[in-house]
Amino acid sequence: WNAGRRPAHMSATAASTAAADAGSATGSNSPPPPPPTVLIPGFLSMGDCWSSGELAARDGARAFLPTHPGPLSSHHDRAVEVFYQLVGGTADYGAAHSAACGHARYGRTYGGLYPEWSARRPVDILGHSIGGVTARVLLDLLRRRAFASHPQTSAAWVRSLAALSSPLNGDAVTFALGACPPPPAAPTVLPPTPTTASVLHARSGGGEGGGGGGGGD
């Protein structure tokens, strides 16, 4: 097969190795292949919604890794599923999170699209729609070292993160689907500081020599 048109399902490791071998065979000093691009889909997305075969045909040097988190799962659960789809193993949603949300701690077991993922072998992430939010949650979990099976993660595992048409500031559709908005917070009244008290006192005409209004001159 042509190294420039690798099969879309090929692992990132195999694609990188093939590209390096092709460069060695031709004696070229081409730069190393870029990190693989992790594709995170949005709401209700299932299957290969990225047309990864076409992407691979356009950019044969880059490995594209489409992931398939739960289409209706929380962002935390989706981020965990993306993580284990890449490194391999059984999805561990965390004891505290699972207890708080009332679901099983462990999910499916995955083979691993990029088991060598680390700070030395980072990835680029592209998330579409709520996939962009899932990507940000994943980055935060990596930063906080939230994966019990991989205690040495860090934000350096991600070289770049791009969000395509993502509701990064929230979306009212969650309430249309049944979520209850939080009650409005009670207004907080702060006690006046000496400076603000003096200003208010002066503006009310309570300063020395004030209040008379200047009649008689």
Side-chain angles (χ1 to χ4, degrees):
W1 52 274
N2 188 333
R5 295 179 64 86
R6 61 176 179 78
H9 63 272
M10 178 178 291
S11 69
T13 304
S16 299
T17 302
D21 291 345
S24 299
T26 59
S28 64
N29 294 320
S30 59
T37 298
V38 176
L39 306 173
I40 304 179
F43 183 60
L44 295 179
S45 296
M46 294 177 286
D48 186 9
C49 57
W50 294 93
S51 300
S52 56
E54 183 177 347
L55 292 175
R58 291 183 177 183
D59 188 350
R62 183 185 299 272
F64 294 95
L65 306 178
T67 60
H68 306 282
L72 289 171
S73 302
S74 69
H75 286 299
H76 177 278
D77 291 358
R78 284 167 53 89
V80 169
E81 290 162 6
V82 169
F83 178 82
Y84 283 100
Q85 286 177 31
L86 293 173
V87 301
T90 301
D92 181 357
Y93 301 108
H97 171 83
S98 302
C101 296
H103 63 66
R105 174 175 176 177
Y106 298 100
R108 296 180 178 180
T109 300
Y110 303 97
L113 296 170
Y114 193 49
E116 65 274 30
W117 188 21
S118 66
R120 298 187 64 181
R121 295 179 178 271
V123 299
D124 295 324
I125 298 181
L126 173 61
H128 170 249
S129 186
I130 67 166
V133 183
T134 299
R136 295 182 65 184
V137 173
L138 173 58
L139 181 62
D140 183 61
L141 293 177
L142 292 170
R143 179 189 62 82
R144 294 193 287 111
R145 299 182 174 180
F147 299 99
S149 60
H150 294 72
Q152 299 302 318
T153 62
S154 72
W157 283 38
V158 177
R159 188 183 74 158
S160 70
L161 190 158
L164 178 63
S165 300
S166 297
L168 300 182
N169 292 323
D171 195 326
V173 72
T174 56
F175 306 120
L177 294 174
C180 296
T188 301
V189 180
L190 299 176
T193 64
T195 301
T196 57
S198 300
V199 171
L200 294 174
H201 183 64
R203 287 185 175 180
S204 64
E208 292 185 4
D217 281 349

